[in-house]
Amino acid sequence: MDSSVTLRAAATPALPALVLRPWCARDIPSLIEACRDPVLRHWTSHRVDDEADGARWLESQQRGWATGERFAFAVLEEGPDGEEGPLAGNTVLKGVAPGDPAAEVGYWTAAHARGKGVASRALEVLTEWAFGTFGPDGLERLDLLHQVDNPASCRVASKSGYSFDRVLPATPPAYPRDGHLHVRRAGDRGRPNA
């Protein structure tokens, strides 16, 4: 897969446009800063505490693009002149395989960008790209999973047109809490102005 893909979410009257592009080395300092947030640490399993961790994480994301198994995008606010602004989050498509009807999406938002619709806007763009790119190879459904005690992720799923499907039981140690499964099918529409 071409790792030069760049996606955009349009600006709204109150919010800047977003740029989604594959992660690169210049993102490592912003990634480290974002990962220091205790809220993000609570909901994610990855730890990026220093440059070495950042380099390993980046290598993993680049390997995902190279193998076509995982497509992670840095989500950046776009500046007034079209330049890249601060890191606002991450969104990812994973588990894509030719002929497989389902894949999974995920996301996180940097502390400074929470409550600004970043996750739902980025997820909507990623969803459209996923179905447009992999639909011809059989992708029909995207799954979004989050811990049952994460109401913010439930709101993002709903805003992005991912319908609640069911509660998934905990499977420790990898998944210590029950989870929600939300689903969006090809042809479903996200909510306008999500």
Side-chain angles (χ1 to χ4, degrees):
M1 171 59 75
D2 179 8
S3 63
S4 65
V5 174
T6 300
L7 309 173
R8 286 191 161 66
T12 70
L15 302 169
L18 299 174
V19 176
L20 288 71
R21 60 148 174 79
W23 287 85
C24 61
R26 72 177 177 271
D27 299 320
I28 291 175
S30 297
L31 174 66
I32 294 167
E33 182 61 32
C35 288
R36 287 185 178 137
D37 171 36
V39 173
L40 183 60
R41 283 182 173 279
H42 178 76
W43 297 119
T44 62
S45 59
H46 62 270
R47 294 289 181 260
V48 179
D49 294 320
D50 55 32
E51 290 283 332
D53 290 343
R56 280 189 292 276
W57 191 86
L58 175 62
E59 182 181 321
S60 174
Q61 308 319 304
Q62 292 173 334
R63 189 171 43 254
W65 276 91
T67 62
E69 297 169 353
R70 180 182 179 90
F71 304 98
F73 291 87
V75 179
L76 304 128
E77 293 179 4
E78 189 172 76
D81 295 326
E83 76 279 5
E84 289 182 358
L87 176 69
N90 173 66
T91 190
V92 62
L93 173 67
K94 50 191 172 180
V96 178
D100 191 338
E104 184 181 342
V105 295
Y107 50 86
W108 54 258
T109 307
H112 73 88
R114 284 193 200 114
K116 298 179 180 178
V118 168
S120 58
R121 292 168 59 216
L123 182 58
E124 181 62 28
V125 171
L126 177 73
T127 298
E128 294 300 323
W129 175 78
F131 284 131
T133 303
F134 299 103
D137 290 331
L139 182 65
E140 300 171 2
R141 185 184 86 231
L142 293 173
D143 296 340
L144 184 159
L145 297 97
H146 66 81
Q147 292 176 174
V148 72
D149 57 344
N150 187 342
S153 277
C154 229
R155 286 189 299 273
V156 168
S158 178
K159 280 182 168 183
S160 303
Y162 283 75
S163 300
F164 176 75
D165 187 74
R166 67 183 180 274
V167 173
L168 301 172
T171 55
Y175 302 101
R177 296 180 189 92
D178 288 352
H180 280 180
L181 170 63
H182 296 262
V183 173
R184 183 153 159 193
R185 299 190 184 285
D188 290 352
R189 301 300 304 163
R191 288 182 42 197
N193 303 318

